[in-house]
Amino acid sequence: MESCIAQTTDTEEILPPKREFRAVWIATVDNIDWPSSKNLIPEQQQQEFSTLLDFHKRVGMNAVFVQVRAAGDAFYAKSPEPWSEWLTGRQGRQPYPMWDPLDYMVTEAHKRGLEFHAWLNLNRLVHKSSTSVSADNVSKIHPEWILSYDGYKLFNFGIPEVRQFITDMTVNVAKNYDVDGIHFDDYFYPYAAPGQVIQDEATYQKYGAGFANKADWRRHNIDLLVKQIHDGLAAVKPKLKFGISPFGVWRNKDRDAEGSKTFGALASYDDLFADSRRWIKEGWIDYIAPQVYFSSGFSRVPYKNLVDWWTENSYERHLYIGMGAYRVGYRDRDKHWSNPLEIPNQVRYLRESETDGAIFFSSRSLKGNSLGFVDSLRQDFFRYPSLVPTMPWKDRIAPLSPRSLKATLLSKGLELTWERPEPASDGDLAWYYVIYRFGPEEKATAHDPRRIIGMCYEGEKYVDMTAEAGKRYIYYVTAVDRLHNEGRPIGPLKVEVHDQKLVRF
């Protein structure tokens, strides 16, 4: 597109970002975000979810991360694991009437132009808050795979069959559902609990030969798993996105010169045995979303220091900042979260740092709008639409241009229609369309999202309901593929609006 619409060369105006990842986590474990109760009928669950998507779309989001595996369970029909109790009231009980939540959720997200990332918990089989455990839960079928720790039943990652099971479970989702991405959170080896010991000594003795210590072996187990999942996903869907949201600190500088300027904090490398930097350095994941759930004024782990470190250590993959929206307004030990400008200032900083966007935890906190921070997103930072950043290592071929752009005046507005482009050289068709509108005195540019009046996700037509009689408009339409490569525009279509008709000029 940039070759057909003039580049802007003036630097006096800072434009809103044309591309920025804007996402929210929707947690299902313990009914945190959805469904609101485990006793709803499917129709109520569907209505709740669709309403939730409408809300996040209005806020300005372009992606959702929905937890479809919370604890050895499933929010989808085609699974080797039992139905989730947080969906049906008891683990293993199928929905009645029967439906497939994941199919429904993906379809509803795509209708609204939202990417859908299937978020799976990696380590849990039984949660502390679980009230039922099905006979089909893996902890019952393979008790030899399990570590009991602090009231949880967790996978023992040192066992090769465990890593294979997790890989197969993950690839199964990719094979059977039209998701845009696969996502894991920060749960690998467990967060330390007082008086608790991870009971994997026998596994270490069996499989740990060649490792100087158990910590290195545990990190190796997680590395093997992440690489194995990456390879498995790439084999079935090479354009599927794969990413992880680790704890925010990789290592502290007081322990490793290559670590972040953070001091004495828990670190994923040392405490969770998750070498999060290595995964992105090796290209095993397409994006990393560190949970930077710290305020700008928190002395040991300042928000800006972590954003700076991850910006320098993202290795040309995408970096999305995990935002602690749930902390806004809480009067805990960190008083900075009572400042209504904390999240707006964090968004401003992540933009200045040229990250690729943000993911907010979680949906409930955005709906709560503590201190009005969501108003700042909707009215200011996310006021204008933004395309998801491209991933050129997966797909760099843009779709072809739409054809035969026409305009018709209707009672409800000015209708634009066009024909779908032919497949691009990689076989990709248009996934959606972007509609730009300029005044006759304006220089057409591909870089200003304020000139995007709409995006069309279904069909090849769009109604401009803000066109006014007596005014002249210039329209362009572009096609965008699944990985958000934008093609060259069709246009300009120049029209003058009269009360009864359109006139070309």
Side-chain angles (χ1 to χ4, degrees):
M1 177 176 183
E2 283 78 356
S3 61
C4 268
I5 296 183
Q7 307 277 331
T8 48
T9 54
D10 48 273
T11 55
E12 67 270 10
E13 185 179 26
I14 298 175
L15 299 176
K18 166 75 181 288
R19 290 186 182 270
E20 182 175 63
F21 198 71
R22 302 168 179 172
V24 58
W25 279 291
I26 299 175
T28 59
V29 64
D30 209 17
N31 300 108
I32 290 175
D33 293 316
W34 177 86
S36 61
S37 158
K38 54 183 167 184
N39 298 312
L40 301 183
I41 62 172
E43 186 180 0
Q44 292 170 314
Q45 293 169 343
Q46 292 166 11
Q47 185 59 53
E48 269 193 4
F49 190 78
S50 296
T51 301
L52 206 54
L53 292 184
D54 288 339
F55 167 77
H56 291 304
K57 183 70 177 176
R58 284 196 303 274
V59 171
M61 299 300 168
N62 54 29
V64 291
F65 287 67
V66 183
Q67 190 175 33
V68 299
R69 181 193 190 271
D73 57 4
F75 283 76
Y76 52 100
K78 297 164 187 166
S79 171
E81 297 188 287
W83 286 101
S84 176
E85 76 165 74
W86 296 297
L87 182 78
T88 66
R90 189 179 75 231
Q91 191 176 85
R93 176 192 287 159
Q94 75 173 32
Y96 182 80
M98 183 61 184
W99 69 302
D100 192 329
L102 186 47
D103 265 338
Y104 177 85
M105 294 189 293
V106 170
T107 299
E108 290 296 300
H110 288 166
K111 276 184 194 172
R112 293 162 175 80
L114 296 163
E115 275 200 349
F116 188 101
H117 292 244
W119 162 22
L120 298 96
N121 174 272
L122 194 75
N123 74 345
R124 273 196 306 260
L125 286 160
V126 179
H127 193 275
K128 266 185 175 180
S129 66
S130 299
T131 59
S132 58
V133 182
S134 163
D136 294 325
N137 187 288
V138 174
S139 66
K140 298 283 186 74
I141 299 169
H142 288 288
E144 73 280 7
W145 289 0
I146 306 311
L147 298 171
S148 295
Y149 188 89
D150 193 33
Y152 296 92
K153 290 195 183 300
L154 309 173
F155 276 124
N156 184 345
F157 297 122
I159 300 172
E161 291 82 3
V162 165
R163 298 193 296 269
Q164 189 61 52
F165 177 86
I166 296 169
T167 302
D168 292 344
M169 174 191 68
T170 306
V171 171
N172 173 63
V173 174
K175 272 184 181 174
N176 287 300
Y177 296 94
D178 193 25
V179 297
D180 299 282
I182 293 288
H183 180 76
F184 292 119
D185 51 35
D186 54 318
Y187 291 105
F188 294 94
Y189 281 91
Y191 285 81
Q196 299 281 317
V197 177
I198 300 173
Q199 301 288 349
D200 60 353
E201 178 63 28
T203 315
Y204 176 53
Q205 293 301 325
K206 184 174 182 179
Y207 296 107
F211 290 91
N213 56 64
K214 194 183 287 186
D216 286 345
W217 170 73
R218 286 176 179 166
R219 278 187 288 270
H220 176 69
N221 294 333
I222 301 301
D223 287 347
L224 286 175
L225 179 58
V226 172
K227 172 71 161 59
Q228 192 172 327
I229 291 170
H230 164 271
D231 292 349
L233 293 174
V236 297
K237 276 192 184 171
K239 291 187 179 180
L240 188 74
K241 300 177 180 182
F242 175 38
I244 296 176
S245 176
F247 182 76
V249 178
W250 171 69
R251 299 198 85 185
N252 295 287
K253 204 166 195 68
D254 55 4
R255 191 158 183 175
D256 186 327
E258 294 187 9
S260 52
K261 290 180 184 173
T262 53
F263 305 94
L266 184 143
S268 66
Y269 182 97
D270 300 292
D271 300 295
L272 305 176
F273 311 103
D275 191 354
S276 48
R277 184 179 73 163
R278 184 178 183 197
W279 312 329
I280 199 151
K281 187 176 182 179
E282 299 284 353
W284 296 339
I285 54 178
D286 298 301
Y287 65 85
I288 197 157
Q291 296 175 12
V292 189
Y293 298 165
F294 307 95
S295 75
S296 301
F298 185 58
S299 58
R300 286 194 298 136
V301 190
Y303 171 85
K304 292 181 179 179
N305 288 15
L306 264 192
V307 172
D308 291 348
W309 187 87
W310 279 109
T311 303
E312 293 165 6
N313 287 273
S314 54
Y315 297 96
E316 298 184 354
R317 291 294 191 257
H318 284 186
L319 169 62
Y320 312 139
I321 303 301
M323 304 284 279
Y326 69 98
R327 301 196 68 182
V328 175
Y330 277 88
R331 288 172 171 78
D332 58 10
R333 287 173 296 174
D334 185 351
K335 301 293 186 279
H336 297 91
W337 288 109
S338 60
N339 177 4
L341 295 178
E342 181 61 32
I343 287 283
N345 286 341
Q346 288 192 7
V347 173
R348 198 171 283 115
Y349 191 77
L350 71 86
R351 282 186 178 173
E352 290 169 3
S353 304
E354 297 186 352
T355 69
D356 297 288
I359 315 176
F360 294 82
F361 189 87
S362 67
S363 178
R364 180 167 65 177
S365 301
L366 269 67
K367 289 196 75 178
N369 193 20
S370 182
L371 304 182
F373 82 95
V374 177
D375 299 332
S376 294
L377 298 179
R378 186 176 59 244
Q379 297 166 13
D380 183 4
F381 295 99
F382 297 173
R383 178 181 174 188
Y384 298 104
S386 187
L387 276 66
V388 169
T390 59
M391 289 186 170
W393 59 92
K394 284 196 168 291
D395 180 11
R396 59 172 69 246
I397 298 171
L400 300 181
S401 304
R403 299 168 295 172
S404 305
L405 180 60
K406 298 182 176 68
T408 308
L409 194 61
L410 307 176
S411 58
K412 60 182 177 180
L414 187 154
E415 183 183 67
L416 297 170
T417 59
W418 57 90
E419 292 179 11
R420 196 177 194 189
E422 294 292 322
S425 60
D426 61 353
D428 283 358
L429 291 166
W431 184 243
Y432 61 98
Y433 303 92
V434 183
I435 297 89
Y436 297 83
R437 188 182 77 184
F438 302 90
E441 74 291 343
E442 290 180 302
K443 179 188 288 187
T445 170
H447 302 298
D448 190 348
R450 296 173 302 178
R451 298 296 172 261
I452 297 174
I453 59 167
M455 297 190 194
C456 175
Y457 307 107
E458 293 184 292
E460 280 74 34
K461 66 180 179 181
Y462 178 82
V463 179
D464 179 1
M465 292 189 280
T466 62
E468 298 176 27
K471 290 201 172 179
R472 291 180 163 190
Y473 299 107
I474 301 173
Y475 294 95
Y476 292 87
V477 178
T478 61
V480 186
D481 66 18
R482 185 77 182 254
L483 270 290
H484 307 281
N485 296 293
E486 185 177 24
R488 293 156 62 98
I490 185 170
L493 175 63
K494 301 179 178 182
V495 295
E496 185 173 332
V497 182
H498 294 277
D499 287 333
Q500 303 296 326
K501 62 178 181 177
L502 291 176
V503 177
R504 300 286 291 267
F505 71 91

